Amino acid sequence: MTETDERPGPFAGVRILDFTRFQQGPYATRLLADLGATVLKIERPGGDWDRRLRLAPDGFCGFFYGLNRGKHSVAVDITTEQGRQIILRLAAECDVVIENFRPGVMDRLRIGYEDLRAVNERLIFAAGTGYGPHGPSSGEPMFDMVAQAVSGVSDFNRAPDGTPRLATRGYADAAGGVFLALGVASALYARAVHGIGQRVDASLVGACLGLHAPEITLSLHEQKLLRPHRRVTSTSGAFRCRDDRWLVIAATDQKLWSTLCAALDRPDLAADERYGYGAIRERNRDDLEPEIETTFATRDRDEWLPILRRHGVPVGPVNTFLDLAEDPDALANGYILEQDDPRWGKQKIVGHPFHLSETPARVGEWTPELGEDTRDRLLEAGYTEVEIADLIERQIVEATDAGGR
């Protein structure tokens, strides 16, 4: 998509009231913002803690910038009656409300599903939780690492010494955000077809289970834990090359075994009866893997990559996040983009993860300063300049001098 492409995204015209914090919820609403929705991010005066999380030495908050681009910041103290009234007026004109507070918080503030539905019966109310809406632990607090533990992901990724490990930082949060956005998209479609609003619930634990459906199903069937302590197979996994750089191959079937042997110029392995087919290769993997490792150690990684590709072996370099800035496929697909930020200058950012040919996603060109849209959104909701000035004076809301978007 070019910078001049003015085609609307699929959710153009959809207004979202966003109460989310940390990663699960903000990632969901950022995806929906990229897809054209107008997202009003509700923050407390003074700003959400997310704006100060994992700051770089120069003060840049990649955590906040990576999750909140393209949104509009409205700073409101929702714990006050005046703040609650503001939310009711905004919700009356919105299509979706999304929150990921601890279960019950929105209800205690009297801006929960039933409260907001009373002012907007077609409203979609989406809640991102830890465990899910039901069960004995449904009201417990939850963070990414706890979700990975509860869902079995940390056990599945145990270190060789038996220590449970995270799959990666933010794994459950990111997956939870995707499923939360999918739930909202499904509810918007249902409303368009059936004319009804509804409540959506998505959880961190549920997302982790969903992403591991094949492994969990197999384990439950066999009543056996099948943890990947080694490479996936003797011929599928990461191998170190002569220059101490790594690549990953996936030679999973018999045809690929033959092409791998040809690429490695190891006809002796192809002819060895111990490695004749998959099951016997795995029984003899303690002999086979050192042979493959030794062969890869004879060339640099960038020598091996074209050889393996020429032979049709699925292969890729083990990139760092820094390598992605120069990766031709990541750049060609818009997965990594460069943007001009008014405060931080040119920044490399993550683009949108999929493409739509006729209603393309548009990566937001800004990350909002705290309260920069408060004044404009309150004016739209029917507040006068005098009323807004009074709300600012009493610290019910916070507004910057920046114009809204």
Side-chain angles (χ1 to χ4, degrees):
M1 176 175 175
T2 66
E3 293 182 0
T4 58
D5 194 332
E6 297 298 329
R7 290 176 295 173
F11 294 128
V14 172
R15 291 172 68 89
I16 297 175
L17 210 53
D18 175 10
F19 293 90
T20 64
R21 307 172 301 154
F22 302 113
Q23 185 169 349
Q24 174 198 26
Y27 185 50
T29 52
R30 198 215 78 189
L31 290 172
L32 295 167
D34 282 357
L35 290 166
T38 297
V39 177
L40 309 185
K41 181 174 178 60
I42 305 300
E43 299 183 67
R44 61 186 178 184
D48 282 350
W49 182 62
D50 302 27
R51 289 183 178 270
R52 296 174 285 277
L53 185 61
R54 295 170 56 195
L55 293 177
D58 61 0
F60 179 75
C61 185
F63 186 88
F64 189 85
Y65 271 67
L67 295 171
N68 291 286
R69 67 182 183 219
K71 301 179 186 179
H72 308 257
S73 175
V74 179
V76 181
D77 185 351
I78 61 176
T79 67
T80 66
E81 176 57 26
Q82 296 92 337
R84 188 179 84 88
Q85 290 299 323
I86 291 171
I87 297 306
L88 292 177
R89 289 171 71 164
L90 292 174
E93 302 300 325
C94 283
D95 301 283
V96 183
V97 167
I98 305 182
E99 57 97 0
N100 66 335
F101 289 113
R102 187 171 173 174
V105 169
M106 293 285 279
D107 289 328
R108 287 196 297 273
L109 294 171
R110 294 184 296 143
I111 50 174
Y113 177 43
E114 295 300 333
D115 301 291
L116 300 184
R117 188 182 181 191
V119 300
N120 185 347
E121 65 178 13
R122 285 168 49 87
L123 184 73
I124 293 164
F125 185 101
T129 61
Y131 288 92
H134 310 297
S137 300
S138 59
E140 294 294 319
M142 173 71 78
F143 282 91
D144 172 86
M145 62 192 70
V146 179
Q148 292 195 46
V150 170
S151 66
V153 171
S154 293
D155 176 79
F156 186 68
N157 287 284
R158 283 181 187 267
D161 67 1
T163 303
R165 295 184 297 184
L166 301 182
T168 186
R169 183 162 54 190
Y171 175 90
D173 278 337
V178 170
F179 282 101
L180 183 57
L182 176 60
V184 170
S186 300
L188 284 168
Y189 177 80
R191 193 179 71 172
V193 174
H194 305 296
I196 56 172
Q198 61 183 301
R199 181 183 174 107
V200 175
D201 285 280
S203 72
L204 300 182
V205 172
C208 288
L209 295 178
L211 292 185
H212 285 81
E215 295 288 350
I216 294 171
T217 303
L218 183 59
S219 290
L220 294 176
H221 175 75
E222 295 192 25
Q223 286 296 293
K224 181 180 179 181
L225 295 172
L226 306 168
R227 302 186 186 97
H229 289 319
R230 307 173 68 176
R231 296 183 178 100
V232 177
T233 69
S234 57
T235 57
S236 298
F239 290 89
R240 189 196 303 263
C241 301
R242 183 174 61 189
D243 56 355
D244 204 31
R245 302 170 81 188
W246 293 74
L247 53 75
V248 166
I249 58 171
T252 53
D253 59 30
Q254 194 63 23
K255 178 182 178 181
L256 289 171
W257 164 243
S258 300
T259 59
L260 175 63
C261 291
L264 298 178
D265 194 21
R266 293 294 304 269
D268 57 311
L269 297 181
D272 195 317
E273 293 182 356
R274 293 174 298 166
Y275 316 133
Y277 57 91
I280 195 171
R281 276 197 296 277
E282 293 315 296
R283 289 201 293 270
N284 292 294
R285 67 184 297 170
D286 288 342
D287 296 322
L288 175 58
E289 285 185 82
E291 292 287 343
I292 298 175
E293 290 167 351
T294 298
T295 304
F296 273 117
T298 63
R299 294 177 184 265
D300 292 349
R301 187 190 70 181
D302 289 348
E303 294 179 62
W304 278 121
L305 291 174
I307 294 172
L308 291 159
R309 287 168 175 156
R310 189 164 60 248
H311 283 82
V313 177
V315 62
V318 177
N319 284 329
T320 68
F321 289 158
L322 297 179
D323 293 331
L324 295 175
E326 306 299 331
D327 183 275
D329 294 292
L331 296 174
N333 286 286
Y335 300 147
I336 299 293
L337 301 171
E338 186 175 81
Q339 283 191 333
D340 284 315
D341 184 89
R343 179 177 179 186
W344 297 101
K346 289 189 181 298
Q347 296 292 316
K348 294 286 181 64
I349 64 168
V350 177
H352 199 74
F354 60 85
H355 300 89
L356 296 168
S357 66
E358 302 306 317
T359 55
R362 176 175 286 104
V363 175
E365 297 178 357
W366 70 88
T367 299
E369 297 297 327
L370 176 64
E372 72 172 60
D373 300 281
T374 301
R375 189 183 305 276
D376 285 354
R377 299 310 168 191
L378 292 188
L379 287 170
E380 288 179 359
Y383 287 87
T384 67
E385 289 282 6
V386 171
E387 290 172 322
I388 294 171
D390 180 62
L391 290 167
I392 294 172
E393 176 69 22
R394 290 188 290 145
Q395 300 183 340
I396 304 298
V397 303
E398 183 174 339
T400 65
D401 293 331
R405 302 178 195 276

